[in-house]
Amino acid sequence: MFTIGIVIDFQKEFIDNLKFYRKLKSVSQEKLAEACECATGTIGCIECGKALPSFELLVKIAAALQIHPADLFLRNASSTVNNTKNLLRAELLPQIETFIEKRL
């Protein structure tokens, strides 16, 4: 079961990542709110920890920032997943194919 402290840690990381990607993309809180079709103050309230986004808003925020929603919780999470997939395809897949060819 999650404790309040863990939830606050996740929320802080989410807020830090939201601010990071919003600034990286040079998007104001107002423009992000507009892109997400939410009230102007909503993004500000989320960024200062006074509000939590719904799942739908979280997905809209990620789309507006052109990032994977997971990146809002773990910075560069989608890149890490893609790098892992590419590594497996480049190194493991040929070994599996060779193994299968030898067995057939």
Side-chain angles (χ1 to χ4, degrees), residues 26-83:
S26 300
V27 177
S28 68
Q29 290 180 349
E30 182 179 2
K31 290 292 181 189
L32 183 57
E34 192 176 291
C36 295
E37 301 173 335
C38 65
T40 305
T42 300
I43 301 300
C45 287
I46 292 169
E47 286 189 1
C48 70
K50 292 182 180 178
L52 297 172
S54 66
F55 184 79
E56 180 182 355
L57 182 54
L58 189 142
V59 172
K60 285 182 178 183
I61 289 170
L65 296 174
Q66 299 176 326
I67 60 173
H68 192 282
D71 292 332
L72 290 169
F73 294 95
L74 181 62
R75 195 172 300 169
N76 297 318
S78 60
S79 295
T80 302
V81 168
N82 287 335
N83 290 343

